[in-house]
Amino acid sequence: MKKALLITSVALFLFTMCSTKTPENKAVTETLAIVDKQATPETAELLKNLKENSKTGFMFGHQDALSYGLGWKYAQKPGKCDVYDVAGDYPGIFGWDLGHIEIGMPENLDSVNFDEIRSNIIKAHAFGAVNTVSWHPKNPVTDGNTWDKSQTVKHILVGGSHHAKYKEWLTILGNYFKSIKTADGKLVPIVWRPYHEHNGGWFWWGNDSTSVDEYVSLWKYTVHYLRDSMQVHNLLWAYSPNLFQNKEEYLAKYPGDDYVDILGCDVYDLPQYNINYKEVAPKNIAILKELGKEKDKVYAFTETGYCSIPNEKWWTESLLPAINSSGVAWVLVWRNAHLDHFFAPYPGQKSADDFKTFYNNPQSLFANDVKLLNSK
Ligand code: BMA
């Protein structure tokens, strides 16, 4: 048990004993700044917990943590998890991706089955963790992949040649979100993070082929369609540019406070691109923190990592200094695909011992810590 967490848990317990719970989502969301005023009680509760828990520490997150890892796949080893095998606990937040759901495929672009993702989201929720979902859809105009940068967004907006197709894609997404329910029929809340890294030039919604107006319209249309037309009420909306220089760049395509619940950012340790992570990561997190405070919004380090983790002290010497005491609600590292593309350690990996030190830091919150913090 981590000491700081214990003290906070006791304080939270005492606080909870003295407070009354509001049963209706209406009552909860009336006083809460949230994109969806009709969010389910669990979704509103998640936003409040994210804010509250970020005062104690940051959740550690991993993409596809239950689906596969180095040398294993869920189908053969359900319950296995590289992070668990190193630290003895599951991540506090799980990342998933819905790319290819829009074209009716049974598996996403990384070969993970959508039914499996749904059941793992429900499982993670049941053991107290949080779920965040990104989307690497195909290019709806060319049918190329997510990295096909042909001009696209203007063709899928209202009046565009591929608008009807875009609506069909959103309908598939919306139905999937509505299908993620616990055994007692409650929708599982999801942090939904579409159209990420838009200030980069590698996705079809990115800077190379999308204007400010187009991006903002795409975001707002997507909110209105899922929330208002489809009545999807289990989403928190996260905005997450890639590495940025200043607040102006961060906000250049910001859709507005009424359309965003969580401010995120994606910054990787990429020495091969001359990125000095130890300098830029804390700088970006500091700007994110300022914006979070100004806007009174939850903020998070939505993607990071050092591919293949060649630095054995990366966790405590590169990542931790960037986020320690920063107030980020979570930090999420990308997927463990194979030996040349992994971002979390596995037993025997050279940074595994350092990851344990990172795990033992009172500020890093894993599944057991998050469960404890959220228990009422
Ligand atoms: C990228 C890589 C790709 C993957 C994509 C979506 O960063 O990991 O291999 O397909 O994310 O998960």
Side-chain angles (χ1 to χ4, degrees):
M1 171 73 62
K2 298 169 184 172
K3 207 171 144 203
L5 188 64
L6 180 66
I7 296 164
T8 320
S9 312
V10 171
L12 257 176
F13 175 72
L14 292 174
F15 169 79
T16 320
M17 294 296 286
C18 306
S19 67
T20 44
K21 231 175 161 189
T22 39
E24 294 301 319
N25 55 339
K26 193 162 173 276
V28 178
T29 50
E30 251 166 24
T31 53
L32 188 68
I34 186 167
V35 171
D36 185 359
K37 287 286 175 197
Q38 292 182 62
T40 65
E42 292 74 20
T43 308
E45 196 68 24
L46 173 59
L47 186 58
K48 289 200 295 180
N49 285 341
L50 289 173
K51 194 164 207 178
E52 197 52 40
N53 296 353
S54 66
K55 294 175 189 159
T56 301
F58 54 84
M59 296 184 289
F60 176 77
H62 188 206
Q63 184 75 5
D64 289 344
L66 298 172
S67 297
Y68 54 82
L70 272 295
W72 62 272
K73 274 190 184 301
Y74 172 84
Q76 289 82 43
K77 302 236 176 204
K80 192 169 166 65
C81 172
D82 286 344
V83 167
Y84 185 94
D85 288 348
V86 172
D89 197 358
Y90 290 103
I93 180 164
F94 289 83
W96 314 99
D97 196 274
L98 296 184
H100 289 189
I101 201 167
E102 71 282 354
I103 52 165
M105 296 291 281
E107 293 181 345
N108 78 2
L109 76 165
D110 301 321
S111 307
V112 189
N113 182 280
F114 291 114
D115 291 335
E116 179 192 309
I117 293 179
R118 182 194 297 103
S119 71
N120 277 331
I121 288 178
I122 295 166
K123 234 180 268 169
H125 175 70
F127 62 64
V130 178
N131 291 283
T132 178
V133 171
S134 54
W135 190 29
H136 287 82
K138 292 195 75 157
N139 183 310
V141 172
T142 63
D143 291 327
N145 65 26
T146 199
W147 296 277
D148 175 346
K149 302 190 290 179
S150 316
Q151 193 162 60
T152 303
V153 175
K154 71 181 214 179
H155 300 302
I156 63 173
L157 293 171
V158 177
S161 54
H162 288 66
H163 180 62
K165 179 169 174 181
Y166 185 56
K167 279 208 290 194
E168 280 167 28
W169 282 18
L170 291 183
T171 305
I172 293 172
L173 268 182
N175 286 333
Y176 186 77
F177 288 131
K178 285 179 173 182
S179 75
I180 310 176
K181 289 181 181 169
T182 59
D184 57 358
K186 286 192 176 137
L187 287 163
V188 175
I190 306 282
V191 176
W192 168 229
R193 191 172 67 87
Y195 302 129
H196 62 304
E197 300 172 13
H198 58 274
N199 57 333
W202 42 90
F203 295 128
W204 57 254
W205 57 90
N207 263 1
D208 281 4
S209 44
T210 311
S211 70
V212 172
D213 281 355
E214 286 164 359
Y215 184 82
V216 169
S217 301
L218 176 69
W219 187 282
K220 288 185 173 176
Y221 181 82
T222 307
V223 170
H224 286 295
Y225 193 82
L226 290 176
R227 181 191 65 187
D228 306 333
S229 303
M230 287 203 72
Q231 300 284 316
V232 178
H233 295 306
N234 53 334
L235 303 180
L236 296 176
W237 292 77
Y239 168 84
S240 57
N242 194 63
L243 182 69
F244 50 93
Q245 296 305 318
N246 47 40
K247 277 188 195 174
E248 291 66 39
E249 185 184 345
Y250 185 91
L251 294 174
K253 289 181 171 174
Y254 185 63
D257 291 343
D258 293 345
Y259 288 87
V260 172
D261 291 310
I262 294 161
L263 304 175
C265 76
D266 295 6
V267 177
Y268 281 83
D269 197 334
L270 294 166
Q272 66 274 35
Y273 290 98
N274 291 323
I275 288 174
N276 181 352
Y277 188 84
K278 287 185 177 177
E279 191 188 309
V280 297
K283 190 178 145 199
N284 272 222
I285 297 299
I287 298 173
L288 193 66
K289 178 177 181 172
E290 266 184 53
L291 287 164
K293 299 285 173 216
E294 272 170 36
K295 295 182 175 297
D296 194 22
K297 287 198 187 291
V298 169
Y299 50 98
F301 202 176
T302 39
E303 269 187 52
T304 191
Y306 191 178
C307 191
S308 305
I309 331 169
N311 172 353
E312 60 182 31
K313 297 268 188 203
W314 191 79
W315 303 99
T316 57
E317 291 184 359
S318 296
L319 178 59
L320 200 54
I323 54 176
N324 225 0
S325 306
S326 67
V328 290
W330 74 86
V331 58
L332 181 135
V333 297
W334 209 238
R335 62 201 201 99
N336 277 12
H338 49 76
L339 275 176
D340 296 324
H341 192 70
F342 69 89
F343 297 85
Y346 50 90
Q349 202 274 332
K350 62 159 68 162
S351 74
D353 283 345
D354 191 53
F355 188 76
K356 279 185 231 163
T357 309
F358 174 83
Y359 165 76
N360 283 321
N361 186 295
Q363 290 208 10
S364 65
L365 308 175
F366 286 68
N368 284 331
D369 306 321
V370 178
K371 185 174 191 164
L372 199 62
L373 280 171
N374 293 346
S375 57
K376 303 271 153 112

